[in-house]
Amino acid sequence: MEVIELKHPLISHKLAILRDKRTGTKEFREIISELSSFLCYEALRDAKLSDVEIETPICKTKGQMLNEDNYAFVPILRAGTGMLDGLISVMPNAKIGHIGMYRNEETLEPVRYYYKVPKDIENREVIVLDPMLATGGSGLDAIESLKKSGAKKIKFLCIIAAPEGIKKIQEKHPDVQIYCTAIDEKLNEIGYIVPGLGDAGDRIFGTK
Ligand code: PRP
Ligand code: URA
């Protein structure tokens, strides 16, 4: 499955502000949220719709609606929670799971500290959120845990993806569709995406 990289002048504009090291926490958070809404629109392009009868102020007509019970959003803590608002604004009734994970700064291996997902996860399309897909270690661990919990259809939404992370996920889980707003050049020697935007968690929460 090809990665879906969203291309739009507005996305390029927002990404330029996001990447700029002078951009402060408030604006950074707002843009992460906006870009996440765009990603959500794209991820829902194949959503199943049911016909409904409605009545406009003028007459009766038919409409189509999607079933929010078919979805679960699962942010990877911490930075993934910065994307959640943007998705909830589009689909306020989706159930939400959380996977707590951080990268060991020396080994770059993910360390999991929390895992809680909706109990009927096997009946839902699972949309995983993490702004950065770098080595792919965290994404891979999240996908494997979700599959162990019974998830059958998983989509991975990120703001920036590195080729190394994309390759890792695609090799092991070719069924998982990745959506991003940019595919960057590479990782540097300490596992950061180049050009990237720095540490997403620190910039969202203002911790550095
Ligand atoms: C960042 C990011 C991903 C991970 C990506 O989280 O949000 O979860 O790194 O790297 P990987 O693809 O090489 O695994 P981080 O470990 O900095 O934790 P945080 O969200 O708590 O800041
Ligand atoms: N995590 C981040 O927050 N940024 C990167 O560039 C890589 C991993």
Side-chain angles (χ1 to χ4, degrees):
M1 234 189 269
E2 285 294 305
V3 173
I4 297 179
E5 182 187 10
L6 271 56
K7 288 192 187 294
H8 190 283
L10 197 53
I11 291 178
S12 306
H13 174 83
K14 298 281 177 183
L15 271 175
I17 302 171
L18 199 68
R19 289 182 191 277
D20 190 329
K21 66 179 185 186
R22 296 168 304 178
T23 299
T25 304
K26 176 178 180 286
E27 197 176 8
F28 191 89
R29 268 190 212 135
E30 286 167 358
I31 294 178
I32 289 278
S33 187
E34 280 176 284
L35 292 176
S36 302
S37 296
F38 298 147
L39 287 166
C40 186
Y41 276 104
E42 194 56 41
L44 295 180
R45 194 173 282 284
D46 63 355
K48 290 199 177 55
L49 295 169
S50 307
D51 293 336
V52 290
E53 298 277 347
I54 47 172
E55 195 169 349
T56 75
I58 311 297
C59 67
K60 285 190 176 169
T61 187
K62 287 188 172 52
Q64 291 189 309
M65 296 184 81
L66 54 76
N67 184 355
E68 295 190 31
D69 285 337
N70 291 342
Y71 297 90
F73 299 145
V74 179
I76 300 179
L77 307 180
R78 302 169 288 172
T81 58
M83 298 176 71
L84 199 51
D85 274 2
L87 275 89
I88 292 173
S89 65
V90 176
M91 205 194 278
N93 293 308
K95 294 281 189 292
I96 297 163
H98 291 89
I99 301 179
M101 217 183 276
Y102 66 89
R103 286 199 313 179
N104 176 308
E105 285 180 9
E106 262 101 59
T107 64
L108 300 182
E109 289 299 317
V111 181
R112 177 125 55 87
Y113 56 87
Y114 188 76
Y115 183 82
K116 182 94 179 170
V117 295
K119 62 179 180 340
D120 56 351
I121 194 99
E122 67 277 9
N123 302 323
R124 294 171 181 272
E125 179 170 314
V126 180
I127 302 188
V128 181
L129 315 175
D130 193 330
M132 308 305 274
L133 177 62
T135 65
S138 308
L140 189 67
D141 188 281
I143 290 165
E144 290 180 348
S145 307
L146 289 162
K147 285 192 173 177
K148 267 191 209 133
S149 298
K152 295 181 196 76
K153 186 166 182 192
I154 300 175
K155 291 177 175 169
F156 192 94
L157 272 50
C158 55
I159 304 294
I160 299 184
E164 293 88 336
I166 292 172
K167 186 162 177 273
K168 187 177 276 179
I169 304 283
Q170 287 185 330
E171 274 174 6
K172 301 249 167 102
H173 298 282
D175 56 306
V176 173
Q177 177 71 66
I178 301 170
Y179 297 80
C180 64
T181 55
I183 300 175
D184 272 10
E185 197 188 321
K186 59 176 183 182
L187 296 178
N188 68 11
E189 60 290 348
I190 54 166
Y192 276 82
I193 300 177
V194 180
L197 48 73
D199 188 303
D202 283 336
R203 296 197 66 188
I204 291 168
F205 297 106
T207 38
K208 251 183 203 162

